[in-house]
Amino acid sequence: MPNHLVWAVLVTVASLFVCCIVGTIPGIVAIVFASQVNGKLSQGDYAGAERAARTAKLWCWITTALCVVGLLWSVYFISTGGLEQYRLMMQQMRTGP
């Protein structure tokens, strides 16, 4: 039974670079559940291990989706002028029309 620990760790690290804390929190949740799988298997709790693996997989998918959204947002932000465009908009709002 796969514990999805490698996926959870990789996607959590990726979320730090792509979408910061929004993706990191569910990634940590995925790591916690993934790390429970082997312990439950060694104790003979197969049903608990199956639940932990399914839950870890769900949180891995959620974190992956947040990383994709964060990556798309970053590409959009950079392609529309990035921080400089944002500063210009803020300056225009302060000075008025």
Side-chain angles (χ1 to χ4, degrees):
M1 166 181 329
N3 60 15
H4 307 293
L5 186 58
V6 173
W7 182 14
V9 169
L10 290 176
V11 77
T12 302
V13 170
S15 71
L16 287 170
F17 295 109
V18 176
C19 59
C20 61
I21 198 74
V22 174
T24 306
I25 293 171
I28 292 170
V29 173
I31 291 171
V32 168
F33 280 104
S35 65
Q36 293 175 359
V37 174
N38 291 345
K40 290 181 188 251
L41 279 175
S42 67
Q43 294 173 354
D45 183 8
Y46 297 108
E50 181 72 31
R51 274 192 312 275
R54 270 196 324 268
T55 305
K57 185 177 181 180
L58 172 69
W59 284 105
C60 284
W61 276 115
I62 291 170
T63 308
T64 301
L66 288 171
C67 281
V68 169
V69 169
L71 181 63
L72 292 174
W73 172 253
S74 296
V75 168
Y76 170 76
F77 185 70
I78 291 169
S79 67
T80 58
L83 195 53
E84 190 57 40
Q85 183 67 22
Y86 176 76
R87 287 183 189 149
L88 181 63
M89 286 180 358
M90 289 291 116
Q91 185 179 10
Q92 288 174 350
M93 287 174 58
R94 281 188 217 126
T95 59

